[in-house]
């Protein structure tokens, strides 16, 4: 193994193992024989309810993953990592463009994930057509599905709490920990701080932004993974407020050029900057945007340490989004 690492210039044997494990996880999603294992895992991890707790229902963790056909492999790999690491019953809600919905369902049925609970939700581009503008070189930000997360209360009318995760993630911990997270006060969601000041993506010279009263050094919200209380979301009319900022950005440039907040993140910050609880840091170990297979040595070393010490429950940006 050490000889192989030296041949391919891997920083260490453990780093090689991290990359190999990731590639294996991607492969097994499409391996028919793996379906038996997934079926055993999902059937053995049903939550048992205390018989004395009459009237209580089995807890189901609802997970939303959004993406077009270019991200389907990542979506299914992410779902597999959740199934393997979560003890609770999980219901997956895969959101994709309406014309591609039947193809996504066929892909799932042809994979090991056909044994898990899921639904494919078609998303119409008409929901946001002509209502947004993205000033970024990143093509994935300038896509209707990038704003699909804004419509979760409508897409999931009977769900109270949901976990949204980007398709370029791997989950290494038990996702039910996020489901059971306590939201402070009347917060509508728990999200990650990007550790980048808002003024890098939000146009603080805009009078509408100034009136919002957000400090310039406030961290951008990384809404690539978040927990949302959809009941509070509906009560506080969050979707309509998100769309207000989205439409305003078309005519008044409330967001700047670049990839720091220029897509959905800046709009989310403008809407809920005072209504969200920070997620624990172990739920976001970021890698480079180019993916694990194209990391620099420093990034691989960071991921190696993450895996070796099991300090994180989620790896973000493991694949390149085009």
């Amino acid at each position: 193994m050490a000889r192989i690492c030296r041949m391919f210039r891997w920083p260490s044997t453990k780093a090689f193992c991290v990359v190999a494990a990731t590639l294996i996880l991607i492969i097994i999603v499409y391996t028919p024989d793996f379906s038996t294992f997934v079926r055993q895992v999902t059937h053995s991890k049903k939550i048992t309810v205390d018989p004395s707790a009459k009237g209580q229902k089995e807890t189901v963790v609802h997970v939303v993953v959004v993406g077009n056909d270019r991200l389907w492999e990542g979506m299914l790999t992410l779902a597999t990592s959740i199934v393997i690491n979560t003890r609770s019953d999980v219901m997956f809600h895969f959101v994709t463009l309406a014309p591609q919905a039947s193809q996504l369902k066929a892909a799932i049925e042809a994979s090991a994930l056909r044994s898990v609970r899921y639904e494919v939700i078609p998303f119409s581009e008409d929901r946001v057509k002509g209502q947004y503008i993205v000033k970024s070189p990143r093509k994935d930000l300038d896509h209707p599905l990038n704003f699909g997360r804004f419509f979760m209360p409508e897409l999931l009318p009977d769900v109270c709490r949901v976990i949204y995760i980007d398709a370029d993630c791997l989950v290494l911990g038990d996702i039910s920990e996020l489901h059971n997270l306590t939201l402070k006060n009347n917060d509508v969601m728990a999200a990650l701080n990007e550790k980048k000041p808002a003024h890098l993506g939000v146009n603080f010279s805009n009078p509408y932004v100034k009136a919002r009263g957000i400090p310039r050094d406030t961290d951008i919200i990384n809404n690539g993974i978040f927990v949302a209380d959809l009941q509070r979301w509906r009560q506080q009319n969050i979707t309509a407020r998100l769309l207000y900022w989205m439409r305003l950005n078309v005519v008044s440039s409330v967001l700047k050029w670049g990839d720091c907040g220029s897509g959905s993140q800046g709009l989310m910050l403008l809407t809920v900057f005072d209504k969200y609880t920070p997620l624990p840091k172990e739920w976001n170990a970021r890698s480079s945007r180019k993916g694990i297979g194209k990391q620099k040595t420093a990034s691989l070393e960071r991921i190696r340490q993450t895996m070796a010490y099991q300090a994180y429950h989620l790896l973000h940006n493991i694949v390149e989004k085009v």
Side-chain angles (χ1 to χ4, degrees), residues 89-213:
D89 187 21
V90 181
M91 173 68 181
F92 292 100
H93 307 272
F94 297 110
V95 181
T96 194
L97 294 176
Q100 300 175 349
S102 60
Q103 299 172 30
L104 174 56
K105 185 171 183 179
I108 297 172
E109 288 298 316
S111 75
L113 287 173
R114 62 181 177 273
S115 301
V116 306
R117 297 178 61 181
Y118 78 92
E119 68 171 339
V120 175
I121 302 176
F123 184 84
S124 174
E125 297 183 57
D126 292 339
R127 287 180 179 269
V128 295
K129 187 176 182 179
Q131 301 182 60
Y132 71 90
I133 183 172
V134 175
K135 303 174 182 178
S136 171
R138 284 181 54 189
K139 296 180 181 179
D140 60 296
L141 296 181
D142 190 12
H143 194 285
L145 284 173
N146 186 33
F147 307 98
R149 70 200 81 190
F150 293 175
F151 298 90
M152 290 191 303
E154 299 176 22
L155 300 175
L156 307 173
D158 300 321
V159 175
C160 296
R161 175 169 286 211
V162 69
I163 301 171
Y164 174 93
I165 308 181
D166 272 350
D168 63 337
C169 296
L170 278 181
V171 171
L172 309 178
D174 190 335
I175 203 73
S176 61
E177 293 179 16
L178 287 182
H179 179 270
N180 298 327
L181 192 69
T182 300
L183 300 182
K184 299 177 181 178
N185 304 319
N186 199 32
D187 289 350
V188 298
M189 62 190 295
L192 293 163
N193 290 328
E194 184 67 3
K195 300 305 178 184
K196 296 179 181 178
H199 66 80
L200 294 178
V202 177
N203 181 12
F204 279 87
S205 64
N206 184 288
Y208 296 99
V209 174
K210 288 182 178 180
R212 188 71 176 94

Side-chain angles (χ1 to χ4, degrees), residues 133-136 138 141 146-147 194 196-198 200-203 220-223 249 254-270 289:
I133 183 172
V134 175
K135 303 174 182 178
S136 171
R138 284 181 54 189
L141 296 181
N146 186 33
F147 307 98
E194 184 67 3
K196 296 179 181 178
L200 294 178
V202 177
N203 181 12
I220 283 286
I221 296 177
N222 182 339
N223 58 8
N249 186 49
V254 298
L255 303 180
K256 292 182 176 180
W257 167 268
D259 63 357
C260 182
S262 62
S264 61
Q265 294 185 359
L267 302 176
M268 188 70 78
L269 174 67
L270 289 167
R289 199 177 309 285

Side-chain angles (χ1 to χ4, degrees), residues 298-314:
S299 297
L300 276 173
E301 180 66 15
R302 185 171 67 251
I303 295 174
R304 180 196 67 79
Q305 294 174 353
T306 295
M307 297 290 286
Y309 299 104
Q310 298 181 350
Y312 288 88
H313 299 325
L314 183 140

Side-chain angles (χ1 to χ4, degrees), residues 189-245:
M189 62 190 295
L192 293 163
N193 290 328
E194 184 67 3
K195 300 305 178 184
K196 296 179 181 178
H199 66 80
L200 294 178
V202 177
N203 181 12
F204 279 87
S205 64
N206 184 288
Y208 296 99
V209 174
K210 288 182 178 180
R212 188 71 176 94
I214 303 176
R216 288 175 55 87
D217 57 353
T218 297
D219 289 332
I220 283 286
I221 296 177
N222 182 339
N223 58 8
I225 171 173
F226 62 87
V227 185
D229 185 318
L230 295 187
Q231 287 184 314
R232 295 180 183 177
W233 189 300
R234 297 180 185 102
Q235 293 169 357
Q236 300 181 38
N237 211 16
I238 298 299
T239 296
R241 294 167 61 184
L242 285 164
L243 294 179
Y244 163 79
W245 287 108

Side-chain angles (χ1 to χ4, degrees), residues 16-32 34 37-38 72-85 111-113 167-173 292 307 313-315 318-319:
F16 175 84
C17 292
V18 170
V19 178
T22 303
L23 294 176
I24 291 172
L25 184 57
I26 294 173
I27 293 172
I28 62 180
V29 173
Y30 299 97
T31 302
F34 187 65
F37 171 74
V38 173
W72 287 354
E73 290 186 13
M75 293 168 69
L76 301 188
T77 303
L78 165 62
T80 301
S81 70
I82 292 174
V83 169
I84 292 174
N85 290 292
S111 75
L113 287 173
D168 63 337
C169 296
L170 278 181
V171 171
L172 309 178
I292 283 181
M307 297 290 286
H313 299 325
L314 183 140
L315 295 180
I318 65 164
V319 295

Side-chain angles (χ1 to χ4, degrees), residues 14-54:
K14 290 183 178 179
F16 175 84
C17 292
V18 170
V19 178
T22 303
L23 294 176
I24 291 172
L25 184 57
I26 294 173
I27 293 172
I28 62 180
V29 173
Y30 299 97
T31 302
D33 293 341
F34 187 65
S35 61
T36 301
F37 171 74
V38 173
R39 190 180 301 110
Q40 291 174 348
V41 171
T42 55
H43 286 181
S44 64
K45 293 191 297 187
K46 301 289 185 181
I47 292 181
T48 55
V49 179
D50 186 347
S52 62
K54 296 182 179 180

